[in-house]
Amino acid sequence: MDRRALIIGYLLVAAGSALFASKAIFIKLAYQERLDALLILAWRMVFALPVFVVVGAVEIARRKAEGKPMPRRGAVLGAIGIGLIGYFLAMILDFGGLLYVTAQLERLALFTYPIFLIFIGAAFFGMKLSRTSLTAAFISYLGLAAVFATDFSAGGSDVALGTALVLGSAVSFAVYQLMAKRYIAEMGATLFTSVALSAAAVTTLAHVFIVRGHLDTSMSWHYFMLAAGTGLLATVIPSFSVNAGMAKIGATSTAMISNISPLLTICFAVMLLGEAFTWPHALGTALVVGGVGYHTWRELKGQNA
């Protein structure tokens, strides 16, 4: 592959990782105006849903034009069900957790989802539990404990509740990753993601109307801009950016570059939200990123071998 294509690929993945890192920042800024997790989640889906519907429709049209078979009804239903676990449930837990914890702690807790994937995979999906996995888990959760202890001394039980909610979100996303593989293989990543996210978005909006009877539109333009940023800049655009970059540089480089995401979230949180960043935060961040990065590197090295 030529040098220009590689550079473009690296830039796309780096940009996508940076945009993914901004999600918690948009949400925290929105909470400064309205401390309502369900409201910002609903508006995130309002902005993201039309894009995923259009992308899914284009993908179906492309398949028909090329004479490719349509996915089975069972595969589509499976994608919908997995989308509710991996996106709808995970988002509700994540947004709820951000009511109580800092953007830094939220991002580090979410970043440990590959560790949950290891243990859930070993318990229910016949995956091997290696020494590398156990070492990575120990390092990562030691770091998370350091950040949690520092924040807990200031926030108490609220920090414990928020961390539990975000870790629940990480578990949901890990289950999604394990269950999605078979359907992605049949449907393709683009169509699967469109179906899963569209299902999660529709369910989220239906949940809002059932619980509250309407979708609140009384917010300021500033709030709507933050909601649009959460739905488009932190959800839709990075999803396609990372996928496009991965097509150019491969999964190995993509996984390694994506490890910068929590570091960027922390930088944004300190600069834009004024969150404290102490030596325990620095040590904990290094351990979490180091543990997950070590596991990613060993896994990819084994696959390449």
Side-chain angles (χ1 to χ4, degrees):
M1 182 177 291
D2 65 88
R3 180 185 178 89
R4 182 172 177 274
L6 283 174
I7 292 174
I8 292 174
Y10 287 126
L11 290 175
L12 285 170
V13 173
S17 298
L19 289 172
F20 273 133
S22 70
K23 180 205 67 179
I25 310 303
F26 280 118
I27 296 168
K28 280 291 191 180
L29 290 171
Y31 283 170
Q32 292 177 4
E33 184 170 329
R34 294 282 290 273
L35 198 62
D36 189 331
L38 191 56
L39 183 63
I40 186 64
L41 176 55
W43 279 106
R44 179 197 194 191
M45 292 294 97
V46 166
F47 285 103
L49 177 58
V51 179
F52 284 108
V53 170
V54 170
V55 170
V58 170
E59 179 64 14
I60 290 174
R62 184 187 67 81
R63 283 173 172 254
K64 289 181 178 179
E66 295 177 359
K68 293 183 178 180
M70 291 294 105
R72 296 177 298 108
R73 179 180 297 179
V76 174
L77 292 176
I80 291 172
I82 294 171
L84 299 185
I85 295 172
Y87 286 112
F88 172 67
L89 179 59
M91 286 188 298
I92 284 183
L93 293 172
D94 181 33
F95 280 51
L98 274 168
L99 291 169
Y100 306 105
V101 300
T102 63
Q104 298 177 67
L105 180 54
E106 180 264 358
R107 193 66 186 88
L108 291 175
L110 273 186
F111 193 63
T112 63
Y113 86 86
I115 308 300
F116 283 114
L117 190 150
I118 295 166
F119 290 106
I120 296 171
F124 301 104
F125 292 86
M127 294 171 59
K128 286 187 176 182
L129 194 61
S130 64
R131 183 179 299 177
T132 296
S133 301
L134 293 174
T135 302
F138 176 77
I139 294 171
S140 296
Y141 284 107
L142 188 64
L144 188 61
V147 178
F148 172 79
T150 302
D151 288 4
F152 183 79
S153 64
S157 59
D158 282 350
V159 173
L161 173 60
T163 304
L165 290 171
V166 177
L167 288 175
S169 177
V171 170
S172 297
F173 192 69
V175 172
Y176 157 81
Q177 289 276 316
L178 288 166
M179 297 177 65
K181 289 182 179 180
R182 56 179 292 194
Y183 297 109
I184 291 175
E186 179 177 344
M187 300 174 63
T190 300
L191 184 57
F192 173 84
T193 303
S194 297
V195 171
L197 267 170
S198 296
V202 170
T203 304
T204 300
L205 295 174
H207 178 71
V208 171
F209 281 102
I210 290 172
V211 171
R212 298 184 176 176
H214 71 288
L215 179 59
D216 194 346
T217 60
S218 64
M219 294 76 67
S220 68
W221 278 107
H222 177 252
Y223 188 95
F224 281 116
M225 293 298 291
L226 292 172
T230 307
L232 299 176
L233 293 179
T235 305
V236 173
I237 294 176
S239 297
F240 293 113
S241 178
V242 170
N243 285 339
M246 184 164 55
K248 294 180 180 294
I249 66 175
T252 302
S253 296
T254 298
M256 298 310 296
I257 293 173
S258 296
N259 284 330
I260 68 171
S261 184
L263 301 178
L264 292 172
T265 299
I266 290 169
C267 290
F268 294 154
V270 172
M271 292 187 298
L272 300 176
L273 301 176
E275 292 184 1
F277 187 71
T278 63
W279 281 110
H281 286 98
L283 175 62
T285 299
L287 289 172
V288 172
V289 175
V292 174
Y294 170 68
H295 168 70
T296 302
W297 175 70
R298 289 299 299 265
E299 286 288 301
L300 294 172
K301 184 179 178 182
Q303 291 175 11
N304 290 336

